[in-house]
Amino acid sequence: QVHLVESGGGLVQDGGSLRLSCAASGSMLSPNAMGWYRQAPGKQRELVATVTRSLTPTYADSTKGRFAISRDSAKNTVFLQMNSLKPEDTAVYYCCADPIQPLCYAESSYWGQGTQVTVSS
């Protein structure tokens, strides 16, 4: 059993910053991908950023240059520093981890419960 616990969401004004954290625990010793996806109302879940065990990051075009993903592999923890937030970043942010793949997948990866990020204009 693998558990992912997110923290750090909340309400912030346009142009503000937030930092999300996610800690993985359980039977997965060293995941390959750890990262973040988000889902806004009425939209599909989409990539925000992931980082592999070798610390190779992948960003969505919409978050590149504004968000920074980092990872503490010893603690199976991943962080997302979000700067210059925009109202369109408003969504539920889900932490994910995959033992093998460099990205996360709905059917086969592990997912957290989600944390709400709301950016007011």
Side-chain angles (χ1 to χ4, degrees):
Q1 192 76 1
V2 174
H3 296 283
L4 300 176
V5 179
E6 303 112 329
S7 61
L11 174 65
V12 65
Q13 289 188 334
D14 191 355
S17 297
L18 282 174
R19 180 176 170 87
L20 304 182
S21 301
C22 173
S25 62
S27 58
M28 186 170 54
L29 293 178
S30 180
N32 190 5
M34 292 193 75
W36 300 89
Y37 286 65
R38 67 187 181 188
Q39 188 167 17
K43 296 187 177 181
Q44 291 189 333
R45 191 173 296 190
E46 63 177 7
L47 170 71
V48 175
T50 61
V51 59
T52 65
R53 190 186 298 124
S54 61
L55 302 182
T56 301
T58 299
Y59 291 95
D61 287 343
S62 60
T63 63
K64 203 173 298 183
R66 299 187 298 124
F67 292 9
I69 191 167
S70 59
R71 175 172 175 168
D72 183 340
S73 294
K75 297 181 179 179
N76 273 356
T77 303
V78 65
F79 307 95
L80 185 69
Q81 179 65 42
M82 304 186 291
N83 299 322
S84 302
L85 282 161
K86 307 173 183 180
E88 51 263 44
D89 293 317
T90 295
V92 177
Y93 283 67
Y94 295 92
C95 176
C96 68
D98 195 285
I100 299 172
Q101 301 297 333
L103 298 174
C104 293
Y105 296 90
E107 299 82 10
S108 56
S109 302
Y110 296 97
W111 296 88
Q113 293 298 307
T115 185
Q116 178 70 44
V117 171
T118 302
V119 184
S120 63
S121 57

